[in-house]
Amino acid sequence: GRLETGDIIQFSRGKNVSYGRIVNILWERQAKGCKLEIQLLESDGGYDLIDCESCPLMTIDEASIQGQVVLLSARDFMKLGYLPKNSAQSNIFNRVSEANQSQI
């Protein structure tokens, strides 16, 4: 799919899965692909993603991307009607601030 700065993605870090916001896309001529500068997002194990302000930016290979993430406000959850019981089986999340306020 098409990626842009600001997109939220799911990516692999070894055996772990993480979430982050694309801050910069770097073209690598020798590697014939892109590297992505990512701001890490923390998950509480449910459907919330929170900015990790204490985490440094990290760079990942484009091949590490597992998918894009859909962010919804808490009001949208009532309209969906269905969410998997296990949040690990979904790419739908609610972005919240540290003060626990829903954002889009």
Side-chain angles (χ1 to χ4, degrees):
R2 178 182 167 165
L3 296 172
E4 297 180 3
T5 301
D7 285 354
I8 308 295
I9 59 168
Q10 177 180 340
F11 61 98
S12 59
R13 294 190 326 178
K15 294 183 179 182
N16 297 325
V17 174
S18 296
Y19 302 94
R21 182 181 324 99
I22 299 173
V23 176
N24 197 7
I25 300 173
L26 310 165
W27 177 250
E28 296 285 319
R29 290 181 192 259
Q30 289 79 11
K32 295 183 181 178
C34 293
K35 292 205 180 268
L36 305 167
E37 196 170 30
I38 303 293
Q39 176 63 55
L40 202 58
L41 297 173
E42 297 177 316
S43 173
D44 64 358
Y47 289 101
D48 293 338
L49 289 177
I50 303 168
D51 287 322
C52 179
E53 296 177 8
S54 63
C55 297
L57 296 179
M58 59 187 306
T59 303
I60 65 166
D61 290 321
E62 185 178 13
S64 299
I65 298 173
Q66 295 183 346
Q68 290 180 287
V69 173
V70 177
L71 290 178
L72 302 170
S73 74
R75 294 181 304 269
D76 293 326
F77 279 89
M78 294 180 292
K79 298 175 188 172
L80 287 176
Y82 168 77
L83 283 173
K85 291 181 182 177
N86 181 354
S87 63
Q89 298 173 344
S90 177
N91 278 3
I92 300 174
F93 291 90
N94 184 38
R95 182 173 175 203
V96 295
S97 67
E98 289 192 31
N100 214 16
Q101 297 293 322
S102 293
Q103 301 176 1
I104 293 181

